[in-house]
Amino acid sequence: MGRTIVEKIIGRHGGGDCRAGDVVWMGIDNRTARDFAGASVVANLEQYGGDSPVADPGKTFFTFDCNVPANTIPYAENQQRIREFARDRGIRVYDVDAGIGSHVTIEEGYGLPGTTTVGTDSHLNIMGSVGAFGQGMGDTDIAFAFKTGKVWFEVPPSVRVELQGMPSRGTEAKDVALAMLGRFSGHELLGKSVEVYGPWAEQATLPDCITLSSLATEMGAIIALIPPNGNVLQYFGISREDAVYADPDAEYEAEYTLDIEGLMPMIACPPSPTNVFPVHEMTSVRVDGVFIGSCTNGTYEDLVLTAELLRGRKVAPGVMLKVVPATRTTWSRLLDEGYLKVIFDAGGIISNAGCAGCASGQIGMTGSGEVQVSTSNRNFKGKQGKGETYLAGIGTAVASAVLGRIASVHELWPR
Amino acid sequence: MNKSLVLRGRLWVLRQDGRLFSDIDTDMIFHNAHLAVVEMEKMGQYAFGNLEGYQKFAEMAEPGDLVLAGDNFGSGSSRQHAVDCFKALGVQAVVARSFGAIYKRNAINSGFPVIELPGLPDGLFTHHAIAELDLEKGVLSSGTVSFTGLPMSGVASEIYSAGGLFQYAEHLEGV
């Protein structure tokens, strides 16, 4: 019997011929922690780490992305505690300037197809976008991974999702992900490794894959794995032989199909990412703020699209447009190429790279009654303040900022 | 086995609109505004601080209490605070129809029992009644009612008995 992608990746990392349900020790290629929970990882290692708290400093790094630079004293304390621990042990710190750790992990070439990465970020399963394993874990797990290079893991059951057809023009990866969230709102994917197939997955760009896989956590899935397509292989300069694919006779716990032919832009209304509707049904909702960024929609391509849609336009009076590129590398490129100027001139507020509102960070919190359209991934009650958060793609976010109400990108197009 | 595998305590039945509360995410359990807290003893005060109807949980909880919820308890972030806040209050275990994957791991690794009762009907258990939780059998009972779910897995029960992941791994070879 053949094996699924997750069974193969875990198998190559110490799991042997493992199958769903087996509990194995999995070797971890990249062991990371953020400024959030990183200090607790350090505390765990100081308590339990003994004389050699870090197995391999070359495979271990910290990424600061939650509160960057620290705007609260406790975060500043935690970051400094981590820096000192890291300095003493020769561990690299991607500091407050670097941006979102999961994106840095891909950009810096750690998160290659087929690798394993763990860290204190619940969206580290974003590695599914490149056909790699990633998982967010708590500070005990991560401290243990720092010390031993391993974690115990129960091989999750795999399910197969076939996306049939192609979405309509103006519909983005985020809308496809939202369609999946709406379809699987009944905990069908809870605890599963989801493999995504179909023509859309075969043509998706790396940023598209990142957007979709970043929402696996909200689907309740362990990970959403997209088998590396030509775009992803080309990004890393590798061939199919270097990546991991499921066997043709792999066994899935369930197989689903979802028709995305002609899919229109979608939006997740409060209070949950699975509360999904077509954008055109929500156009009477007035907005106070728009947030563009996060690990879900903060790539270079996302922000180029933002700038192109904003070119020659202005943000509606009274609406805040908050823009946060995912990483410093992205920031730099957007700066050099003039895109940030376009966003700025349209009325955008541009902040330094990081997770922003998703972690009570530098930008993006809401007050009671405030309505925010956000390209991020969670809109649970109280998550980003007392306001109401709607989750959408770039086109919807920009159109809403320009028109001062929820709007589809189609409303910006010439008639 | 040096720890009790049958827990007894007052049961908090978390409900929303008359049904067992589902999809309680980590921001409802322990809001991101308090993430910089590192000491476990300071975490208890924030437990369920952002869960509608249960904001006063931390004040009212007593050591030994058990918590019961619906599906997907602890979805969302990887924060261990969302487990440790209950340990800080002396809550003995959380029981739910299902758990978010990361939450379940975090609980297991810190030796905090979580038991899954798939298919549990909404109205079976009474709020604040005394209940008994058998970890080995995966049974929750109270008065004349009981419901059998999934027993604690092998790894979970070994980590629980050892008192945590590091303590458990000390005795393993090749880790």
Side-chain angles (χ1 to χ4, degrees):
Chain A
M1 189 59 67
R3 292 185 295 155
T4 63
I5 301 176
V6 79
E7 287 168 349
K8 283 187 166 183
I9 296 177
I10 297 176
R12 289 179 184 191
H13 286 81
D17 187 31
C18 63
R19 305 294 164 139
D22 292 347
V23 176
V24 299
W25 287 100
M26 171 168 52
I28 302 299
D29 298 318
N30 307 306
R31 309 139 194 182
T32 75
R34 320 160 82 180
D35 47 341
F36 149 64
S40 300
V41 171
V42 170
N44 267 299
L45 290 172
E46 284 171 350
Q47 188 174 353
Y48 301 112
D51 298 333
S52 54
V54 180
D56 186 347
K59 293 181 171 179
T60 308
F61 50 97
F62 289 98
T63 59
F64 292 175
D65 53 17
C66 287
N67 199 292
V68 289
N71 63 11
T72 70
I73 293 167
Y75 257 110
E77 295 278 356
N78 287 352
Q79 288 171 357
Q80 190 58 20
R81 186 172 181 190
I82 294 167
R83 284 186 196 108
E84 287 170 9
F85 177 86
R87 198 179 296 149
D88 289 348
R89 286 165 185 82
I91 301 171
R92 178 145 189 193
V93 177
Y94 290 90
D95 215 301
V96 293
D97 57 337
I100 302 177
S102 59
H103 285 235
V104 169
T105 303
I106 295 174
E107 271 179 9
E108 293 282 304
Y110 298 109
L112 292 167
T115 56
T116 55
T117 302
V118 298
T120 57
D121 175 356
S122 60
H123 287 103
L124 255 190
N125 48 11
I126 210 165
M127 295 303 152
S129 61
V130 300
F133 181 84
Q135 196 70 173
M137 294 183 176
D139 51 73
T140 309
D141 252 324
I142 299 305
F144 192 83
F146 273 38
K147 179 166 169 58
T148 67
K150 297 174 185 180
V151 297
W152 67 271
F153 207 74
E154 182 177 336
V155 181
S158 294
V159 303
R160 195 177 193 285
V161 174
E162 176 95 18
L163 300 175
Q164 294 178 330
M166 288 296 282
S168 64
R169 186 166 87 89
T171 299
E172 302 164 24
K174 181 63 160 285
D175 303 303
V176 173
L178 290 170
M180 280 182 74
L181 280 157
R183 162 68 180 80
F184 300 109
S185 59
H187 307 115
E188 295 93 335
L189 304 181
L190 188 62
K192 315 297 183 201
S193 171
V194 181
E195 295 182 12
V196 183
Y197 293 92
W200 182 86
E202 284 160 22
Q203 293 168 38
T205 63
L206 174 58
D208 288 340
C209 296
I210 286 175
T211 297
L212 186 112
S213 293
S214 77
L215 284 153
T217 303
E218 285 59 48
M219 296 172 196
I222 294 285
I223 192 165
L225 284 156
I226 304 173
N229 61 22
N231 294 326
V232 171
L233 296 175
Q234 190 183 11
Y235 174 86
F236 290 107
I238 61 172
S239 64
R240 276 185 70 89
E241 288 68 43
D242 302 316
V244 179
Y245 299 91
D247 291 328
D249 57 344
E251 197 164 297
Y252 296 93
E253 188 187 77
E255 301 193 21
Y256 301 98
T257 56
L258 176 61
D259 183 7
I260 57 166
E261 178 63 32
L263 182 74
M264 301 290 276
M266 308 297 278
I267 192 162
C269 300
S272 100
T274 56
N275 190 25
V276 174
F277 297 89
V279 171
H280 65 77
E281 290 180 18
M282 292 295 147
T283 53
S284 60
V285 177
R286 188 187 55 78
V287 305
D288 299 292
V290 170
F291 170 78
I292 295 178
S294 86
C295 62
T296 296
N297 271 126
T299 61
Y300 168 78
E301 288 78 0
D302 286 323
L303 295 176
V304 168
L305 177 60
T306 300
E308 291 302 353
L309 290 169
L310 280 172
R311 200 180 289 278
R313 294 193 165 95
K314 292 280 182 202
V315 171
V319 173
M320 299 170 274
L321 171 63
K322 310 165 199 175
V323 178
V324 182
T327 66
R328 183 175 177 83
T329 309
T330 295
W331 226 105
S332 160
R333 221 176 139 189
L334 294 164
L335 186 66
D336 289 346
E337 294 172 7
Y339 291 111
L340 293 184
K341 169 115 177 96
V342 175
I343 295 170
F344 184 88
D345 286 347
I349 305 159
I350 305 162
S351 185
N352 46 311
C355 298
C358 291
S360 284
Q362 71 273 36
I363 191 169
M365 307 312 282
T366 60
S368 298
E370 187 175 332
V371 173
Q372 172 164 269
V373 173
S374 170
T375 66
S376 70
N377 42 54
R378 289 187 188 139
N379 59 349
F380 302 119
K381 206 172 168 86
K383 160 91 181 159
Q384 278 166 315
K386 294 196 169 164
E388 305 268 297
T389 296
Y390 292 74
L391 305 176
I394 300 291
T396 304
V398 173
S400 303
V402 168
L403 295 170
R405 59 171 171 80
I406 289 177
S408 159
V409 69
H410 303 116
E411 297 190 51
L412 296 183
W413 292 351
R415 286 181 192 277
Chain B
M1 296 281 169
N2 49 6
K3 284 179 118 177
S4 173
L5 292 171
V6 179
L7 310 176
R8 204 178 143 77
R10 183 178 66 155
L11 186 68
W12 284 77
V13 181
L14 306 181
R15 289 208 168 87
Q16 186 186 38
D17 305 327
R19 308 179 63 179
L20 280 174
F21 213 136
S22 284
D23 301 304
I24 296 177
D25 94 302
T26 49
D27 271 308
M28 301 176 195
I29 301 171
F30 191 99
H31 195 265
N32 61 56
H34 317 299
L35 287 184
V37 179
V38 178
E39 303 83 2
M40 192 190 295
E41 58 273 23
K42 291 186 187 159
M43 295 178 189
Q45 59 184 312
Y46 303 116
F48 289 145
N50 184 40
L51 182 66
E52 207 164 312
Y54 297 92
Q55 288 92 340
K56 289 196 184 303
F57 176 84
E59 281 170 46
M60 295 165 67
E62 290 167 12
D65 283 356
L66 304 166
V67 170
L68 178 67
D71 278 301
N72 200 17
F73 183 88
S75 64
S77 116
S78 62
R79 69 195 66 159
Q80 194 120 15
H81 308 68
V83 172
D84 290 344
C85 64
F86 295 122
K87 292 176 76 171
L89 291 172
V91 170
Q92 293 195 86
V94 177
V95 186
R97 267 196 217 115
S98 59
F99 288 89
I102 304 176
Y103 191 88
K104 194 164 123 188
R105 281 190 73 83
N106 284 345
I108 291 171
N109 283 336
S110 59
F112 181 69
V114 290
I115 291 292
E116 288 171 276
L117 304 180
L120 174 70
D122 284 305
L124 195 60
F125 289 97
T126 308
H127 184 57
H128 277 181
I130 299 297
E132 203 168 86
L133 181 65
D134 188 322
L135 303 177
E136 239 174 348
K137 296 187 179 131
V139 176
L140 181 67
S141 49
S142 176
T144 56
V145 294
S146 81
F147 192 87
T148 304
L150 308 177
M152 213 179 205
S153 76
V155 180
S157 114
E158 286 169 35
I159 294 175
Y160 173 67
S161 296
L165 177 63
F166 281 96
Q167 294 85 337
Y168 162 69
E170 269 174 24
H171 309 291
L172 295 177
E173 289 191 14
V175 173

